[in-house]
Amino acid sequence: MNNAYPSSNQLEPAAIAARIDRPLVLVGLMGVGKSTIGRRLAGALDRSFVDADEEIERAADRSVSEIFEEHGEAYFRDGERRVIARLMEEGHGVIATGGGAFVDAETRALVLEQGIAIWLDCDLDTLVERTSRKNTRPLLKTGDPREILFNLKEQRSPAYSQAQIHVVTDDGPHEATVARILQELAAWQ
Ligand code: S3P
């Protein structure tokens, strides 16, 4: 029994985990907290966690910024598509994806067919504030981050909205977001 998440539609995390036979894939914009929440969600469900951007960096032996600088975005997207396909096959419990991954039609179809996509969503101010803490995101270096994030939110929301589960996060504790996801998973058939 895990007292940190007691009220997920009466189902304890272990009971929820037992019902889920496919990877949980966190999607959504940069700064929404996919990696942080993903790690905690995996911990709550006692499943493995993997971060797709870290796997891309490992495979390329370069940071995401370096891949963008040296080879451009299209090259990064090709690698991202291949790495996520591999991660889906490997049967990880929880996969955090980079913000553009689920916008790719091929990756989206794969995730929707073989996994459960969870769209983490929050307001623009929060995204701007959180992404300002790190300087590692190449797409935000090309102009005003707020304007870029606003435009990406507009462009990408139709893709993100195809996720099976949608959870809106706020500035509250991560446990609250994890509890919300568990609640959605408990109700998920
Ligand atoms: C990107 C998001 C980043 C990373 C790359 C591109 C995007 O991941 O994959 O910088 O297109 O939104 P995070 O969402 O983890 O920041």
Side-chain angles (χ1 to χ4, degrees):
M1 169 149 164
N2 185 339
N3 289 326
Y5 307 104
S7 60
S8 306
N9 268 7
Q10 273 81 50
L11 279 182
E12 293 297 332
I16 297 170
R19 287 159 31 121
I20 292 172
D21 58 352
R22 57 192 86 178
L24 303 173
V25 184
L26 296 173
V27 306
L29 281 175
M30 297 175 259
V32 77
K34 299 178 296 281
S35 302
T36 310
I37 299 295
R39 262 191 198 92
R40 285 169 187 260
L41 178 64
L45 294 171
D46 199 20
R47 306 281 294 275
S48 65
F49 170 79
V50 68
D51 182 295
D53 276 346
E54 282 178 14
E55 290 299 313
I56 294 165
E57 293 184 329
R58 203 190 315 275
D61 199 20
R62 278 172 179 64
S63 69
V64 169
S65 285
E66 285 167 344
I67 301 171
F68 268 73
E69 267 166 38
E70 289 173 28
H71 302 286
E73 182 172 351
Y75 180 93
F76 172 80
R77 298 297 173 200
D78 277 350
E80 181 176 52
R81 192 180 306 112
R82 280 198 303 273
V83 165
I84 292 177
R86 168 171 63 81
L87 298 179
M88 291 297 295
E89 236 180 71
E90 286 174 358
H92 297 277
V94 179
I95 303 172
T97 62
F102 198 65
V103 182
D104 179 87
E106 212 177 295
T107 298
R108 189 166 66 249
L110 179 72
V111 168
L112 290 174
E113 195 188 307
Q114 295 180 12
I116 302 174
I118 300 170
W119 174 20
L120 287 187
D121 188 12
C122 71
D123 63 66
L124 189 64
D125 285 341
T126 308
L127 294 177
V128 173
E129 199 280 313
R130 289 202 191 135
T131 52
S132 72
R133 296 178 201 161
K134 278 204 273 173
N135 189 25
T136 54
R137 294 179 169 102
L139 291 183
L140 298 183
K141 293 179 188 163
T142 59
D144 173 45
R146 170 176 288 272
E147 200 179 314
I148 293 168
L149 284 165
F150 174 86
N151 288 331
L152 287 175
K153 207 175 199 313
E154 294 277 301
Q155 289 160 14
R156 293 177 171 181
S157 289
Y160 295 149
S161 68
Q162 294 175 47
Q164 288 99 332
I165 289 176
H166 180 195
V167 168
V168 180
T169 74
D170 52 27
D171 255 349
H174 295 312
E175 282 76 11
T177 302
V178 174
R180 295 274 314 286
I181 295 173
L182 292 175
Q183 219 163 30
E184 293 288 335
L185 288 171
W188 191 79
Q189 301 297 318

